[in-house]
């Protein structure tokens, strides 16, 4: 999780991200050999605490193929991956009840996301949902995250930089409400410097991962609630375009319209809380 991907299209050998705070399929502990291709053996993979041989490659890897003798393990790994993703989807459906949820935000985003679109993921809770579900299908190198440190709040500046790096591609920022307010005033800079992008803000009025951890550890949330913010009107006050998307069916049309607007657009999507763990 939080690394750069290399999987541009869905693949039978892609089994999703690992090291998410919200868990994942059991893969690394049962592997008989681990190839670290440009990846770090840090907290996300439990520092590779295994007896299996570990091979490190920092550059120059191309066309890595799976030998026939490992097809059985690949099949088992895929089964675990699919089973885990199904459990995440079911958990989201259970949390959603009658309100808009992160799974609806991701469904609308998936409907609009084109292969060339640059996607930035910023935010704890929505980032976990995105990595478990959206990145479980493919993980291109032009989908950008906050990196191995797992910080939040880089998204607006990251989207501005992505627009400079990819002037002809759609640029979409997926953010949580906590992460978005770290540097929200930079919207004015993006508008003034004519660096258009679309920000989709999933707003559960909380530090979602912190709240979930508190509930698990203490039985109650402590100082993790955030007040209501009209992100669409806040965007307008900073010179950007603001749109409300309060129903699941509003998300995809709002994204399509925003991508054609040619200006900085913030889509405010209030969601019910909950993490995929």
């Amino acid at each position: 999780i939080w690394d750069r991907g290399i999987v541009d299209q869905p693949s039978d050998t892609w089994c999703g991200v690992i090291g998410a705070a919200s868990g994942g399929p059991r893969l690394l502990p049962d592997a008989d050999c681990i190839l670290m291709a440009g990846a770090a053996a840090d907290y996300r993979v439990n520092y590779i605490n295994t007896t299996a041989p570990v091979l490190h490659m920092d550059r120059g890897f191309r066309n890595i193929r799976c030998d026939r003798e490992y097809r059985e393990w690949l099949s088992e790994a895929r089964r675990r991956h699919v089973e885990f993703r199904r459990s995440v989807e079911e958990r989201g459906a259970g949390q959603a009840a009658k309100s808009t949820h992160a799974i609806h935000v991701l469904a609308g985003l998936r409907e609009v996301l084109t292969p060339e679109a640059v996607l930035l993921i910023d935010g704890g809770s929505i980032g976990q949902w995105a990595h478990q579900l959206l990145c479980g299908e493919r993980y291109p190198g032009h989908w950008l995250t906050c990196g191995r440190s797992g910080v939040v709040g880089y998204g607006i500046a990251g989207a501005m930089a992505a627009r400079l790096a990819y002037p002809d591609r759609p640029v979409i920022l997926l953010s949580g409400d906590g992460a978005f307010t770290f540097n929200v005033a930079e919207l004015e800079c993006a508008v003034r410097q004519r660096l258009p992008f679309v920000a989709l803000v999933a707003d559960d009025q909380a530090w979602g991962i912190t709240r979930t951890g508190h509930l698990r550890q203490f039985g109650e949330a402590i100082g993790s609630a955030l007040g209501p913010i009209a992100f669409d009107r806040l965007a307008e006050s900073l010179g950007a375009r603001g749109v409300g998307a309060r129903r699941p069916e509003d998300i995809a049309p709002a994204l399509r319209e925003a991508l054609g607007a040619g200006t900085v657009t913030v889509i405010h999507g209030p969601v019910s809380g909950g993490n995929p763990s």
Side-chain angles (χ1 to χ4, degrees):
I1 194 170
W2 306 132
D3 266 335
R4 293 287 295 276
I6 58 170
V7 185
D8 291 339
Q9 300 296 331
S11 168
D12 289 339
T13 58
W14 172 243
C15 293
V17 299
I18 56 176
S22 44
R26 181 183 172 91
L27 295 175
L28 284 185
D30 293 342
D32 58 5
C33 181
I34 298 170
L35 174 64
M36 301 290 289
D42 57 22
Y43 70 97
R44 294 166 295 175
V45 290
N46 196 28
Y47 302 97
I48 306 294
N49 184 17
T50 177
T51 58
V54 180
L55 309 178
H56 291 270
M57 296 178 64
D58 290 328
R59 56 182 63 86
F61 52 94
R62 290 289 187 276
N63 300 322
I64 298 174
R65 297 171 181 260
C66 182
D67 296 335
R68 291 182 181 275
E69 59 192 289
Y70 297 112
R71 291 294 178 186
E72 184 176 345
W73 166 239
L74 177 58
S75 177
E76 171 63 14
R78 287 290 301 175
R79 185 194 67 79
R80 296 182 187 185
H81 170 57
V82 171
E83 185 177 278
F84 181 78
R85 284 194 66 205
R86 185 180 298 117
S87 71
V88 170
E89 291 169 348
E90 290 173 353
R91 182 172 182 81
Q95 293 174 354
K98 297 181 180 180
S99 60
T100 304
H101 186 272
I103 60 172
H104 301 128
V105 172
L106 294 175
L109 180 58
R110 185 184 294 110
E111 187 177 330
V112 173
L113 206 57
T114 56
E116 74 277 9
V118 179
L119 174 66
L120 297 96
I121 301 174
D122 186 13
S125 185
I126 192 62
Q128 294 288 321
W129 286 105
H131 275 87
Q132 297 291 20
L133 297 179
L134 202 64
C135 299
E137 300 166 357
R138 59 191 179 98
Y139 198 178
H142 55 275
W143 287 9
L144 310 174
T145 75
C146 53
R148 61 188 289 189
S149 59
V151 298
V152 296
Y154 89 103
I156 296 176
M160 294 167 67
R163 170 53 64 213
L164 289 169
Y166 302 102
D168 299 321
R169 293 191 183 191
V171 176
I172 301 174
L173 165 63
L174 174 65
S175 182
D177 52 324
F180 198 73
T181 50
F182 261 81
N183 298 294
V184 68
E186 299 304 318
L187 287 176
E188 184 276 332
C189 296
V191 173
R192 175 165 39 86
Q193 297 177 41
R194 295 182 176 86
L195 300 174
F197 61 89
V198 178
L200 177 56
V201 182
D203 174 19
D204 63 357
Q205 295 187 25
W207 295 108
I209 287 183
T210 302
R211 177 175 60 186
T212 300
H214 285 177
L215 291 172
R216 182 174 58 250
Q217 186 172 357
F218 308 118
E220 62 176 322
I222 304 170
S224 55
L226 299 174
I229 297 175
F231 284 97
D232 47 353
R233 298 206 301 272
L234 175 58
E236 291 173 353
S237 74
L238 293 167
R241 181 172 173 267
V243 178
R246 288 164 175 76
R247 302 176 302 167
E249 58 268 28
D250 294 337
I251 296 168
L255 280 168
R256 288 195 185 93
E257 185 177 0
L259 288 170
T263 187
V264 178
T265 300
V266 176
I267 301 172
H268 180 201
V271 298
S272 57
N275 279 347
S277 57

